Amino acid sequence: MRFDYLEPHTIKEAVSLLSTYNGQAKVIAGGTDLMNLIRTKMIKPEYIVDIGHIAGLDYVKYGDKGALSIGALTTIRAIEMSAQLKERHPVVSQAAGQLGSMAIRNVGTIGGNLCNAAPCAETAPSLIGLGAALKIVGPAGERTVTLEDFFTGPGQTVLQRGELVVEIQVPSQPPHTRGVYLKHSVRGTEDLAIVGVAAIATLEGERCRNVKIVLGAVAPIPMRARNAEGKLEGKEIDDALIENAAQAASDESQPITDVRASADYRKEMVKVF
């Protein structure tokens, strides 16, 4: 497979190249997903635009009011190991730690994992649950899209001609907000998720508020389990309520049968997790 390799050093240059070679170019950052697609001839780009040399897109930082910003070129390993994230958004670092092998996490980037738009992407459910948005730069300037609205199908996003994701933005959370991401796979973190579940809620005494349950690998895109959320919102949690919410999440999931698991098995594992 032959292609022209292009190495922009600024966002403006990258946007220009992507606009010029629209439909013929693919962006590479860590390359952990893209190179596999090229090797297996699932895609045949004429140009590869390597954004890995653009300075200033590798960071984890907090604003004065607790809002979180992550540069699109930040590696999954950096997110996993960030002391700030472990303290203030542990669900994000927890999810990052379940993505692939350490070799993959050392190279793969958060922007690449999201833009690859795999239904089983480990970083998406927890970030959607936290209300994250993406800062996108393109020929027309900047725009912001919520992560929940970013995905349109397997491998498909709302990115338009020449556009590039440059930052993930997570709003500040109410006090006593907690979250967890659970992944079910055959061979541990190195394997793709059969089911991924993120659950995030704000605890007010014995009641749950702002409940978000986001499922991965059981629909064409990461999906909110809104019926399950509704059963928990504002309620005091007990075993019966958990069972009802789990069944609701299972019922609204939309899995397929593939080489990794049947649709029925995935639905059952949504309920379990």
Side-chain angles (χ1 to χ4, degrees):
M1 178 68 192
R2 296 181 61 87
F3 51 77
D4 287 345
Y5 172 80
L6 307 171
E7 191 178 282
H9 289 268
T10 66
I11 294 172
K12 183 177 180 180
E13 187 181 352
V15 168
S16 177
L17 289 171
L18 291 172
S19 299
T20 299
Y21 301 115
N22 181 51
Q24 301 169 295
K26 289 291 183 181
V27 174
I28 190 170
T32 56
D33 290 312
L34 183 68
M35 293 312 296
N36 282 332
L37 294 174
I38 292 174
R39 288 191 189 103
T40 56
K41 298 182 179 180
M42 294 183 69
I43 60 172
K44 297 179 180 180
E46 295 183 37
Y47 301 91
I48 296 295
V49 179
D50 186 353
I51 63 171
H53 299 274
I54 299 176
L57 292 182
D58 177 5
Y59 55 84
V60 174
K61 61 185 180 182
Y62 282 89
D64 294 338
K65 297 182 179 180
L68 167 65
S69 300
I70 304 175
L73 291 184
T74 308
T75 66
I76 301 300
R77 179 66 171 167
I79 292 169
E80 176 191 4
M81 299 305 294
S82 168
Q84 287 182 301
L85 286 176
K86 287 182 178 181
E87 178 183 355
R88 303 173 73 169
H89 285 92
V91 67
V92 177
S93 59
Q94 178 194 30
Q98 298 188 57
L99 193 160
S101 65
M102 189 178 294
I104 294 293
R105 297 196 296 275
N106 279 334
V107 178
T109 64
I110 181 70
N113 187 242
L114 295 174
C115 290
N116 188 51
C120 59
E122 269 82 13
T123 63
S126 60
L127 288 169
I128 290 173
L130 291 168
L134 301 181
K135 179 181 175 181
I136 297 169
V137 177
E142 294 182 4
R143 66 185 180 117
T144 302
V145 176
T146 63
L147 186 56
E148 186 175 352
D149 295 328
F150 180 67
F151 307 105
T152 58
Q156 299 176 327
T157 71
V158 299
L159 286 176
Q160 299 174 7
R161 177 174 181 162
E163 288 190 324
L164 193 68
V165 172
V166 298
E167 185 176 78
I168 296 88
Q169 302 171 338
V170 180
S172 59
Q173 305 295 311
H176 309 298
T177 297
R178 299 289 184 269
V180 65
Y181 174 75
L182 302 174
K183 171 183 174 178
H184 177 49
S185 61
V186 175
R187 296 186 296 270
T189 63
E190 296 189 17
D191 207 358
L192 297 176
I194 293 174
V195 170
V197 179
I200 296 169
T202 302
L203 306 178
E204 292 184 357
E206 299 297 321
R207 297 182 183 275
C208 282
R209 305 285 186 186
N210 307 315
V211 179
K212 302 290 188 299
I213 299 173
V214 189
L215 310 178
V218 294
I221 60 175
M223 62 166 285
R224 292 266 303 275
R226 295 181 183 275
N227 293 339
E229 293 171 358
K231 290 184 178 296
L232 298 174
E233 184 66 37
K235 306 289 180 56
E236 292 187 14
I237 304 300
D238 58 28
D239 289 345
L241 192 62
I242 291 171
E243 186 73 18
N244 288 338
Q247 185 62 57
S250 175
D251 291 343
E252 61 190 307
S253 66
Q254 307 162 34
I256 62 169
T257 295
D258 61 14
V259 295
R260 289 182 288 127
S262 68
D264 288 344
Y265 180 75
R266 281 190 162 99
K267 276 186 169 288
E268 184 61 25
M269 288 300 102
V270 167
K271 181 179 179 179
V272 170
F273 276 73

